[in-house]
Amino acid sequence: MKRSKTGIAALCLALSSPLPTGASETDMANPSAVLSEAVRKLRYPTAIYVLRDDGDSVAAAGMADANVGRPLGVDTPLRIASNTKTFTAATVLRLWEQGRIDLDAPIAELIAPEFDRVLRRDGYDPGRITVRQLLSHSAGLFDHGSDPRFAKSFLADPARVWKPIELVTLMTEYADPQSAPGTEFRYSDDGYILLGHIVERITGQTLAAAVREQLGFNRLGLNDSWWEIMEEPPAGAGPRARQWLGNQDVTDVNASIDLYGGGGLLMSARDMARFFKALFEGRVFARGETMQEMLRPGPHKGSDQYRLGIFVDHIGGRDVYWHSGFWGTYALYDPETRTAAAGVTTNQEGYRDLVSIVRAKVPRR
């Protein structure tokens, strides 16, 4: 493996600053042709799906599985890793608008005793950490996924099945609390593991079933999407793509390394774009106020870059919202032009080029 830094959080944070965006395609007569040409030039297999009110742009090139000659398409599912956080956050917000969860409630009231014990043993106080702080990464938690010891561990034993409590325990073994709750943004997969756990306790369902039901996967036509291990693929969904870290095939690393809310979804570029457009255009939440709550900045340091399950950035002089995933996935939405775009690459080393192309699809003023 070529990379020495393989933390799940590291890639998101490294890429939260503006990237080169290339030329805008707003004035191009055939944006799909322009997109296809850009994707064909990339080193690694890539698929991009763009949704606008005036038409879609679609492009894909390369192999989803070179061993069997299967090409990558915009409908090819693959692990979207931390892009899953937006779905977990949206599910929590659906429960909030139903009056089933208080975003400002201490998590001590919501988590199982074994999680409470593990956190307190390391100096965390679940009585001071709130659901909102987990959603906004402002609870002061360390992130086990960004520690190189975790990557070393799962690559050495790729078949190991990890339980949520084991991952949270790793967080406490790797480092102590990073900051006081509610004071600053510190990205943490473990916060979203706790959120996934809370969703399951509130709903009495698996996280997969709760997310599917609350967000309306079937209603929205997300036919290439399912939660790995926890549920069966939808009828007609294609096989997932193989995924790589440089020269290392990581397809068969057990999904439990990133399954419980911070990651876990298998999804295509098309479905990611469809979901982002539906989310921001009022077809997921029952009330407009819920979307406002998701995007409202918190009082903590760093809330200018991350809200509740979604990053915020600036393109063309305005706010756009996005998230990314460690293996090489990216989705964004531009409210002003109602543009949703998502892309996937089968190799993490192709991620920066993928993001550059996707961001170029946002029309300039």
Side-chain angles (χ1 to χ4, degrees):
M1 184 169 58
K2 294 180 180 179
R3 293 182 182 273
S4 59
K5 190 175 184 180
T6 58
I8 292 170
L11 196 63
C12 288
L13 297 178
L15 293 165
S16 62
S17 57
L19 295 169
T21 58
S24 170
E25 296 166 13
T26 307
D27 300 325
M28 298 294 183
N30 190 344
S32 282
V34 174
L35 180 61
S36 294
E37 179 63 21
V39 169
R40 278 196 299 270
K41 292 178 179 178
L42 297 179
R43 178 180 177 186
Y44 298 107
T46 298
I48 295 173
Y49 197 93
V50 182
L51 279 168
R52 293 192 189 126
D53 292 341
D54 60 356
D56 305 348
S57 301
V58 179
M63 289 290 152
D65 188 341
N67 295 334
V68 297
R70 179 162 51 86
L72 181 70
V74 295
D75 58 349
T76 302
L78 72 177
R79 289 174 176 169
I80 65 168
S82 286
N83 272 108
T84 301
K85 289 182 173 67
T86 303
F87 295 81
T88 301
T91 301
V92 172
L93 285 159
R94 283 280 291 135
L95 297 175
W96 172 74
E97 68 180 4
Q98 295 162 19
R100 300 171 70 183
I101 191 169
D102 179 356
L103 297 183
D104 296 306
I107 65 169
E109 304 170 5
L110 302 170
I111 59 177
E114 59 265 31
F115 284 94
D116 187 86
R117 286 193 295 270
V118 166
L119 291 171
R120 291 185 187 277
R121 191 164 59 230
D122 196 45
Y124 293 101
D125 182 357
R128 295 182 58 209
I129 296 171
T130 67
V131 173
R132 187 186 301 276
Q133 290 163 1
L134 296 182
L135 289 166
S136 63
H137 296 291
S138 63
L141 304 182
F142 184 66
D143 174 49
H144 79 271
S146 64
D147 193 295
R149 288 173 288 183
F150 182 57
K152 183 178 180 180
S153 180
F154 74 68
L155 290 172
D157 187 6
R160 176 175 174 176
V161 177
W162 295 82
K163 297 178 181 179
I165 191 66
E166 292 175 322
L167 295 172
V168 174
T169 300
L170 273 188
M171 175 195 76
T172 66
E173 292 174 351
Y174 286 165
D176 293 329
Q178 302 295 288
S179 57
T183 58
E184 61 181 298
F185 170 81
R186 286 183 176 271
Y187 192 95
S188 174
D189 257 33
D190 299 274
Y192 273 73
I193 292 173
L194 292 172
L195 287 168
H197 168 69
I198 289 168
V199 167
E200 291 191 331
R201 284 171 63 83
I202 288 174
T203 64
Q205 299 172 291
T206 66
L207 182 57
V211 170
R212 179 171 293 276
E213 178 182 312
Q214 292 295 333
L215 304 186
F217 274 28
N218 298 338
R219 173 176 54 82
L220 297 175
L222 305 185
N223 300 321
D224 309 317
S225 304
W226 71 98
W227 213 285
E228 196 167 2
I229 297 178
M230 294 187 191
E231 60 181 347
E232 294 297 317
R240 57 180 281 233
R242 303 201 72 80
Q243 290 176 275
W244 299 75
L245 289 177
N247 294 326
Q248 184 157 359
D249 187 341
V250 291
T251 306
D252 296 325
V253 172
N254 191 275
S256 62
I257 66 164
D258 186 28
L259 182 67
Y260 303 109
L265 278 168
L266 291 162
M267 184 169 279
S268 66
R270 179 174 62 188
D271 277 7
M272 275 200 293
R274 283 177 173 174
F275 178 76
F276 263 56
K277 194 164 178 65
L279 177 67
F280 282 88
E281 295 180 9
R283 299 194 299 278
V284 172
F285 297 136
R287 303 195 309 263
E289 293 87 345
T290 308
M291 194 73 233
Q292 295 172 16
E293 193 72 20
M294 189 174 198
L295 301 182
R296 183 162 58 87
H300 57 280
K301 181 181 178 181
S303 71
D304 56 328
Q305 63 178 308
Y306 199 93
R307 305 299 163 78
L308 303 186
I310 196 84
F311 283 96
V312 61
D313 207 342
H314 308 282
I315 300 178
R318 59 188 184 272
D319 287 348
V320 298
Y321 299 94
W322 64 277
H323 217 293
S324 60
F326 175 73
W327 303 113
T329 59
Y330 184 79
L332 66 77
Y333 184 80
D334 172 27
E336 183 169 309
T337 63
R338 292 168 56 92
T339 298
V344 301
T345 178
T346 62
N347 195 311
Q348 191 199 73
E349 292 191 350
Y351 179 82
R352 293 188 70 88
D353 289 337
L354 162 70
V355 174
S356 182
I357 292 173
V358 172
R359 287 168 64 95
K361 298 300 293 184
V362 176
R364 298 321 193 248
R365 284 196 179 100

